[in-house]
Amino acid sequence: MTSVADSLRVGAEILQNAAVPDAIRQASSLLQFATGRDRTFIIAHPEYVLTETEDDSFRKAIARRAAREPFQHIVGHQEFYGLDFIVTPNVLIPRPETELIVERAIELLSVLPSPRFLEIGIGSGCIAVAILKHCPNASALAVDISEAAVKVARRNAEIHELYDRLQMLQSDIFESVNEETFDLIVSNPPYVPLAQYDGLQPEVRDHDPRVALTDGSTGLTIIERIIVGAPEFLQPAGRLLMEIGFGQNEHVEGVFDPATWESVSLIHDLQGIPRIVDAALA
């Protein structure tokens, strides 16, 4: 039989040998998952002996993480903007920098009486759900080219009891969106250039859906399509919030037609990288 202390030691060693970052912390988190105990219990009870089921679950989880499967896929969920989301290999794992879109969207929509927004590429549903949870008068339409992603987003919308305010459908960008116009369009599009795809971390390259990461080209083609198509689906003075990749800001700013857009600004992430484009329609 294996104790908490022994499990942590062995698990951390396996992860360190596999070059997994933060091996000790991740071993502890996987042990919490396997035993159904919180961090406080793990720290306070190093002598606790795992049951056979707990030990088996922990060993399998460590093996999966050592193979560079993302932690979030092993445990099946990820926190985003203070909310918990189901994640599967069919959707992009929510990332902290994307919370900048949610934060700005809440600022823009909270001053409107009955705002409605469109999300291009819903994925897990984390952006739309987080916005709606903090804007009780808002509603949204969200689309994704992946039917499997839409199914995951539906599950998350139901869990957070927002299904009545969040309409979802499969669509290649604006293709299936009707003539309706919106106060805001938000998107975290696939922006990784194909030339950089093979150099991504194994957790990302081998496990996140390729269609959610790269356009198979320069990383800019879908961004350009969204910018060019957005005015048709925005109310006068409507806004576009979109995440972009490192070093893409100058090109992206140049895509906006000054005759159509009133202003284009950039929101920087915690590393000082221009991460979110905030554009206002004229």
Side-chain angles (χ1 to χ4, degrees), residues 8-19:
L8 282 177
R9 178 179 52 79
V10 173
E13 184 177 339
I14 291 171
L15 296 185
Q16 285 171 342
N17 290 337

Side-chain angles (χ1 to χ4, degrees), residues 119-213:
E119 180 177 10
I120 303 296
I122 189 172
S124 66
C126 65
I127 294 175
V129 168
I131 293 171
L132 291 171
K133 288 291 283 187
H134 290 81
C135 296
N137 296 325
S139 64
L141 169 65
V143 303
D144 202 293
I145 196 171
S146 166
E147 183 179 2
V150 172
K151 289 180 179 178
V152 174
R154 288 189 197 281
R155 291 170 63 193
N156 281 317
E158 290 169 355
I159 289 170
H160 292 287
E161 300 180 336
L162 288 171
Y163 194 65
D164 60 331
R165 291 196 282 137
L166 178 55
Q167 177 189 358
M168 287 167 275
L169 54 87
Q170 185 179 6
S171 177
D172 181 6
I173 310 183
F174 299 109
E175 190 175 80
S176 301
V177 181
N178 59 26
E179 298 302 316
E180 181 182 6
T181 55
F182 302 85
D183 298 293
L184 171 70
I185 295 174
V186 296
S187 183
N188 179 16
Y191 54 70
V192 176
L194 183 61
Q196 297 177 12
Y197 185 79
D198 287 342
L200 295 174
Q201 288 183 323
E203 289 88 343
V204 177
R205 182 192 64 228
D206 300 334
H207 296 279
D208 272 337
R210 183 185 178 102
V211 69
L213 291 168

